[in-house]
Amino acid sequence: MGFQQEDFEYKDLYKEDTYLSDVLGFYCEKENESNIGSDLSRFSAKAKESILHLMWEAEANPPVHRAFDHWGKRVDEIVMHPSWDKLHRVSAEEGIVAIGYERATGIDSRLHQFLKLMIFHPSSAFYTCPLAMTDGAARVLEIHSTEERKQYFSHIVSRDPDQFWTAGQWMTEKAGGSDVSLSETTAEFREGKYYLTGVKWFTSAITAQVAMTLAQTEVEGKLRLSLFLVKIRNEKGTLNNIEVLRLKDKLGTKAMPTAELKLNGVEGELIGELGAGVKNITTVLNISRLYNSVCATGTIYRLHSLIRDYSLKRKAFGKKLIDHPLHQETLLKTQADAKACVHFISQLAKSLGRVELGQADSEEEAFLRVFTPVAKLWTAKKSVSITSELVEAFGGAGYIEDTHIPRFLRDAQVFSIWEGTTNIMSLDTLRALSKDQNLLEMMNFLERMIKKIPHDKNLKKIQDLLTEAKEWVGKNASHNENLQRGARVLAFALADGLAGLLLLEFALHTGKERDKYMVELFIENISWPRWNTTEDSKQRVEETLLS
């Protein structure tokens, strides 16, 4: 028999090395470390075995839209493989959403939840997408609580699989994606209730029980967007005046059903103040953007584990891949970025936990507002680039569907598109910085972190980067076009600065050479920002794009 390549192995991410347990110990309160660590350790073993097989089954059996029954009656049934329902049950039993609201470990509950979500995502067939929207809906219902809404909330945060509900988030329409102001869906008020009519072009998780959606309402003679909660199905399990026009044929995320829907007078419950829909759904968006960051991080963390194992087994040119210097450098650089992403989501989880429990000051609140869109755009772009690099590192095997590696590349692109593209996130970062005292207070929060770190060459580079970003914003405060042109550069500069700070602080905490080297690798690869001016950009546009 000829040569037979040994397959790579899906490792237990929490037990593969000490990194995640060290991260947990760094960010969480000492009294919570043991309980959270035990849960993550147990769940990580499960994620690489039984849950992983559910993902493969779901990926191999994508959803099907059955529009009519055998007599021609419209039924709009979404036929799912049983593995999808099993992933639903796992999500409930493991409390992927519930952990964040049970708050058993206080301010560390979000950290516990996000690290568990990170481990779950690569084995979830993107069931984490409906969970993101569910968590966002839970937070909205918690803020706008009434006795009636407590029933919805109890379902959304339940650990009982038979009681657990997921929630959709219906915003995107033909006229506008991120520009929700162009929404054509209307809500008519009659006989004490609102009824919604319109077409939602892109709605993930049509198998959910409820959804948060925007619709135009009349406020003082003008149309303004309001937020509504919609029950998707009635007691019989059929759609509530909702028609499925089609399932979307997407680049990736094949196992998850995404539909184009027509609302034919579906009843909706107003959430929050009439006309304040954009403000109110921002709560959902912020949570789902953080989930996006966590799942993007989980993707590259899992893929890096796979290529590391493969590199120990695959031989080329007389030695194992891991022994080739250039291959080593490729993996070291991607590892540094992957670990920086882990720190990014951990810090934001910690801050979110404090904010939600009222234990954060105004500076940390400003930090969270600014860095939520920054985290989303930065981890998403890292996921796309690192996934491409690591799929390539597998060679031909990375291009063959039987290895299950190509799906990582198809799926990675979604992170930079869903919940707002990189440009939209950059502009959202600008908006966050322009409100109140966010820029000053956010920088004060970062300064507090900097003061904990002994001064060295790495810290100076980070300080210089953050200072230049702050000064650029101040210099262009009255030049909106300059700010917009440089928004993307600004967001990446802030992200690199924070990631470098977190890696440096962590390395000092552990004292491990491994962590010190990750700091060096990351910081030496930071690209210094090139700030565009309006004059230069106008000339480039005229001489290139429009010539």
Side-chain angles (χ1 to χ4, degrees):
M1 186 177 178
F3 172 76
Q4 186 68 48
Q5 174 61 45
E6 184 181 358
D7 199 4
F8 53 81
E9 181 183 350
Y10 280 76
K11 300 284 189 179
D12 183 325
L13 290 181
Y14 198 77
K15 295 178 183 176
E16 185 177 7
D17 56 36
T18 62
Y19 200 78
L20 289 183
S21 59
D22 285 350
V23 166
L24 176 65
F26 177 63
Y27 287 98
C28 83
E29 305 298 312
K30 287 301 176 187
E31 63 267 25
N32 294 326
E33 185 177 354
S34 177
N35 287 339
I36 296 175
S38 295
D39 186 51
L40 294 179
S41 178
R42 174 197 59 78
F43 181 68
S44 184
K46 187 175 176 180
K48 80 175 184 73
E49 294 171 352
S50 59
I51 301 176
L52 183 67
H53 290 287
L54 292 178
M55 178 199 70
W56 284 337
E57 289 178 356
E59 292 281 351
N61 298 275
V64 175
H65 175 209
R66 179 172 169 257
F68 303 94
D69 69 8
H70 53 284
W71 297 115
K73 179 184 176 183
R74 186 101 196 186
V75 290
D76 278 330
E77 181 184 359
I78 307 299
V79 181
M80 303 297 298
H81 189 268
S83 56
W84 189 252
D85 181 63
K86 291 177 183 177
L87 287 166
H88 173 91
R89 301 184 75 82
V90 167
S91 301
E93 291 166 349
E94 293 292 342
I96 303 297
V97 174
I99 289 170
Y101 296 90
E102 294 168 342
R103 300 190 173 104
T105 51
I107 59 173
D108 288 327
S109 297
R110 284 295 192 180
L111 177 65
H112 179 189
Q113 179 193 37
F114 280 15
L115 290 176
K116 193 168 187 177
L117 176 69
M118 189 194 102
I119 292 168
F120 179 48
H121 173 73
S123 299
S124 74
F126 265 83
Y127 203 87
T128 48
C129 176
L131 295 181
M133 296 179 286
T134 302
D135 197 324
R139 184 61 180 150
V140 168
L141 291 173
E142 186 175 52
I143 293 170
H144 300 281
S145 181
T146 65
E147 284 303 315
E148 185 177 6
R149 288 173 196 160
K150 286 179 181 178
Q151 298 176 17
Y152 298 128
F153 181 79
S154 64
H155 279 291
I156 285 173
V157 300
S158 176
R159 283 182 182 254
D160 181 346
D162 296 319
Q163 296 296 317
F164 177 54
W165 287 2
T166 52
Q169 174 187 306
W170 300 350
M171 293 174 60
T172 307
E173 300 191 14
K174 293 179 182 178
S178 297
D179 188 358
V180 296
S181 66
L182 298 176
S183 174
E184 296 177 343
T185 299
T186 59
E188 181 184 356
F189 187 71
R190 61 178 188 271
E191 298 178 0
K193 295 181 180 180
Y194 285 95
Y195 296 91
L196 280 58
T197 302
V199 174
K200 296 295 182 180
W201 186 78
F202 197 96
T203 63
S204 291
I206 183 55
T207 53
Q209 287 76 25
V210 293
M212 291 286 179
T213 186
L214 294 175
Q216 299 283 5
T217 53
E218 188 172 326
V219 183
E220 297 178 351
K222 296 181 180 180
L223 287 179
R224 298 186 187 279
L225 287 169
S226 297
L227 180 62
F228 293 91
L229 174 71
V230 169
K231 285 194 72 174
I232 298 175
R233 288 173 175 78
N234 57 31
E235 289 71 19
K236 296 180 181 179
T238 58
L239 293 173
N240 271 331
N241 294 325
I242 299 171
E243 184 180 339
V244 178
L245 300 181
R246 56 175 169 164
L247 288 182
K248 295 297 190 180
D249 188 6
K250 299 165 291 182
L251 171 66
T253 66
K254 298 287 189 179
M256 188 189 62
T258 304
E260 184 172 345
L261 302 178
K262 185 179 180 183
L263 311 183
N264 298 316
V266 59
E267 184 180 334
E269 179 180 341
L270 178 67
I271 303 293
E273 184 183 351
L274 195 66
V278 175
K279 174 186 175 183
N280 290 330
I281 206 166
T282 297
T283 300
V284 183
L285 286 173
N286 285 339
I287 296 294
S288 58
R289 285 169 178 173
L290 290 172
Y291 265 67
N292 196 294
S293 300
V294 175
C295 295
T297 301
T299 292
I300 54 179
Y301 207 84
R302 167 58 75 192
L303 189 54
H304 204 280
S305 170
L306 295 178
I307 187 60
R308 187 166 58 230
D309 186 65
Y310 185 65
S311 298
L312 292 168
K313 296 172 178 176
R314 176 67 175 170
K315 288 185 178 180
F317 305 105
K319 53 186 176 182
K320 293 178 181 179
L321 287 180
I322 198 66
D323 294 324
H324 287 275
L326 187 54
H327 187 76
Q328 293 171 356
E329 288 303 302
T330 301
L331 296 196
L332 283 169
K333 173 61 175 66
T334 54
Q335 183 182 50
D337 280 348
K339 289 183 173 179
C341 289
V342 172
H343 287 281
F344 220 117
I345 64 170
S346 298
Q347 176 59 54
L348 289 183
K350 188 75 176 188
S351 291
L352 179 64
R354 281 196 284 256
V355 167
E356 289 184 339
L357 288 176
Q359 296 185 29
D361 58 24
S362 61
E363 292 179 351
E364 188 164 21
E365 289 174 351
F367 165 81
L368 184 61
R369 280 193 290 272
V370 172
F371 275 93
T372 292
V374 171
K376 191 276 182 187
L377 73 85
W378 193 75
T379 54
K381 296 302 274 190
K382 288 293 184 185
S383 181
V384 172
S385 62
I386 293 173
T387 299
S388 178
E389 192 73 72
L390 295 183
V391 167
E392 180 182 338
F394 278 94
Y399 204 68
I400 303 301
E401 292 289 353
D402 288 353
T403 65
H404 299 290
I405 296 300
R407 72 170 181 84
F408 282 98
L409 189 57
R410 287 196 305 274
D411 289 347
Q413 189 64 60
V414 79
F415 295 120
S416 62
I417 296 175
W418 279 0
E419 312 306 336
T421 62
T422 306
N423 283 355
I424 293 296
M425 292 298 95
S426 300
L427 294 174
D428 276 1
T429 302
L430 267 187
R431 276 189 283 272
L433 287 169
S434 68
K435 292 180 179 178
D436 303 321
Q437 296 293 312
N438 282 351
L439 174 60
L440 177 62
E441 294 198 307
M442 177 270 293
M443 290 302 298
N444 286 344
F445 185 80
L446 295 179
E447 282 296 329
R448 281 155 52 181
M449 295 176 61
I450 289 171
K451 287 178 181 177
K452 300 176 185 177
I453 303 172
H455 194 77
D456 66 4
K457 62 177 182 178
N458 290 322
L459 182 60
K460 185 178 186 309
K461 185 171 182 179
I462 294 168
Q463 283 182 294
D464 289 346
L465 180 64
L466 293 171
T467 299
E468 186 169 317
K470 178 185 176 182
E471 290 176 350
W472 181 83
V473 174
K475 178 182 175 182
N476 291 279
S478 59
H479 300 282
N480 188 53
E481 191 169 333
N482 270 5
L483 287 174
Q484 289 194 35
R485 287 190 187 281
R488 192 168 170 134
V489 176
L490 172 66
F492 278 93
L494 290 173
D496 287 339
L498 176 62
L501 270 180
L502 294 172
L503 283 169
L504 187 54
E505 191 179 10
F506 178 72
L508 291 171
H509 169 78
T510 66
K512 294 182 178 180
E513 291 302 317
R514 168 199 70 182
D515 301 326
K516 294 176 185 177
Y517 188 55
M518 287 296 104
V519 175
E520 296 286 343
L521 270 175
F522 181 81
I523 292 180
E524 73 184 22
N525 284 288
I526 291 177
S527 298
W528 204 259
R530 181 178 181 274
W531 307 104
N532 296 332
T533 65
T534 299
E535 291 73 21
D536 291 342
S537 298
K538 282 182 177 178
Q539 184 178 353
R540 285 198 299 271
V541 169
E542 290 172 0
E543 292 180 356
T544 56
L545 287 179
L546 302 180
S547 64

